[in-house]
Amino acid sequence: MHCPFCNVADSKVIDSRLAAAGSQIRRRRECLSCGERFTTFESYEMVMPRVIKSNTKNEPFDEEKLRRSLMHALQKRPVTQEQIESALSDIQLQIRRLGERDVKSIVIGEIVMKALFALDHVAYVRFASVYQDFQDVEAFRRQIEQMQQHD
Ligand SMILES: [Zn+2]
């Protein structure tokens, strides 16, 4: 990063600490050329990949849409709003971890189904049954059988 005072690229870090409740790193730097000090902030890239639909169209990731379908599947289930929010951020973290610019909606659907499966079995079945990209009926059936064995 260039020094804001003399525009030279070399600086050394003289102090480094967490900021914004640990989601940022604040670095105090000293320019090796002019000796001026400045501060930089480093944070995660929070950009979500685009979602590729089955018909090869793609659209931006829509957190609200995901929240709505989770809420729908979890209607009247014994799950708190906090658990839903935590599942939502976990799902988005997993999607970001894929490290792709474009992610197929079927991949996202699988991540969501795993999260719902861990959260509430009834919600999982509801989501899976309305989830249009779920094409492997046989795998779905096996998973339900497996789930019943664990109950
Ligand atoms: Zn400088």
Side-chain angles (χ1 to χ4, degrees):
M1 202 143 166
H2 295 265
C3 166
F5 302 99
C6 72
N7 213 32
V8 162
D10 295 322
S11 64
K12 68 173 181 194
V13 176
I14 52 176
D15 183 44
S16 204
R17 63 183 65 185
L18 290 177
S23 66
Q24 279 188 336
I25 293 177
R26 177 187 178 277
R27 291 207 163 97
R28 196 75 184 133
R29 294 172 183 273
E30 189 178 288
C31 175
L32 293 178
S33 172
C34 72
E36 289 284 353
R37 292 179 174 190
F38 56 99
T39 304
T40 57
F41 288 92
E42 189 177 298
S43 63
Y44 320 111
E45 187 179 35
M46 296 303 275
V47 176
M48 292 297 288
R50 290 181 71 82
V51 181
I52 310 170
K53 310 294 276 185
S54 41
N55 54 9
T56 71
K57 269 202 303 200
N58 72 46
E59 57 184 44
F61 178 83
D62 185 344
E63 184 180 343
E64 269 317 301
K65 196 169 150 190
L66 177 61
R67 180 179 282 106
R68 279 197 304 274
S69 53
L70 284 186
M71 301 284 274
H72 185 72
L74 286 160
Q75 232 167 25
K76 298 194 173 128
R77 295 301 303 158
V79 171
T80 64
Q81 191 60 37
E82 199 180 317
Q83 286 176 296
I84 298 175
E85 288 306 317
S86 134
L88 256 175
S89 52
D90 185 55
I91 289 165
Q92 291 180 83
L93 180 67
Q94 288 187 58
I95 294 170
R96 267 187 230 115
R97 275 201 191 126
L98 297 170
E100 307 282 350
R101 292 179 66 109
D102 305 282
V103 174
K104 285 187 181 151
S105 60
I106 189 164
V107 173
I108 294 176
E110 277 159 13
I111 291 173
V112 173
M113 291 212 292
K114 275 188 197 135
L116 275 178
F117 188 80
L119 201 59
D120 183 83
H121 289 175
V122 171
Y124 166 80
V125 174
R126 283 182 188 160
F127 181 84
S129 62
V130 296
Y131 178 51
Q132 288 166 357
D133 288 324
F134 196 81
Q135 288 165 347
D136 190 347
V137 176
E138 185 55 27
F140 180 39
R141 193 183 61 75
R142 275 199 306 270
Q143 213 158 14
I144 287 179
E145 280 174 4
Q146 211 175 27
M147 177 175 105
Q148 284 164 342
Q149 282 163 14
H150 288 288
D151 273 344

